[in-house]
């Protein structure tokens, strides 16, 4: 029996570690990215629109997208 694969804070059965877009079986040696805590192969990742790839990369690096705006709420609005 094969050992489980540990990625994205989970353990995956070798047979269930698949690309979330094309369903191709992956191994720990394959190139893949985190897409909503699921593996996505490099080929499918490269097919994503450029803006989505930039946002995923920024999220993985722990940075905020530079066009993101923070909306301030007035103190007397009743919202916490």
């Amino acid at each position: 029996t094969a050992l489980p694969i540990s990625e994205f804070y989970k353990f995956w059965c070798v047979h269930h570690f698949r690309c979330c877009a094309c369903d191709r079986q992956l191994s720990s040696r394959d190139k893949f990215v985190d897409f909503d805590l699921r593996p996505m192969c490099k080929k499918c990742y490269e097919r994503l629109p450029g803006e989505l790839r930039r946002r995923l990369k920024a999220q993985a690096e722990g940075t905020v997208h530079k066009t993101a705006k923070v909306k301030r709420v007035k103190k007397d609005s009743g919202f916490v």
Side-chain angles (χ1 to χ4, degrees), residues 21-76:
C22 70
D23 204 37
R24 183 174 72 92
Q25 189 169 351
L26 301 170
S27 74
S28 58
R29 293 182 301 264
D30 289 320
K31 292 186 179 183
F32 55 87
V33 295
D34 170 5
F35 188 79
D36 196 23
L37 296 178
R38 295 177 297 164
M40 177 181 280
C41 69
K42 185 178 179 190
K43 193 174 193 178
C44 290
Y45 174 76
E46 290 173 347
R47 290 182 188 153
L48 294 175
E51 178 62 23
L52 180 56
R53 288 195 315 263
R54 282 190 292 279
R55 288 182 184 196
L56 290 170
K57 185 177 180 181
Q59 181 182 2
E61 293 171 351
T63 60
V64 177
H65 195 266
K66 59 183 169 183
T67 60
K69 295 180 182 176
V70 176
K71 188 174 183 179
R72 299 194 185 270
V73 179
K74 293 181 182 179
K75 289 182 179 179
D76 60 348

Side-chain angles (χ1 to χ4, degrees), residues 2-34:
L3 295 174
I5 297 172
S6 175
E7 290 293 337
F8 314 125
Y9 308 105
K10 303 189 214 184
F11 286 98
W12 299 79
C13 171
V14 175
H15 305 294
H16 292 111
F17 192 66
R18 299 179 166 276
C19 173
C20 64
C22 70
D23 204 37
R24 183 174 72 92
Q25 189 169 351
L26 301 170
S27 74
S28 58
R29 293 182 301 264
D30 289 320
K31 292 186 179 183
F32 55 87
V33 295
D34 170 5

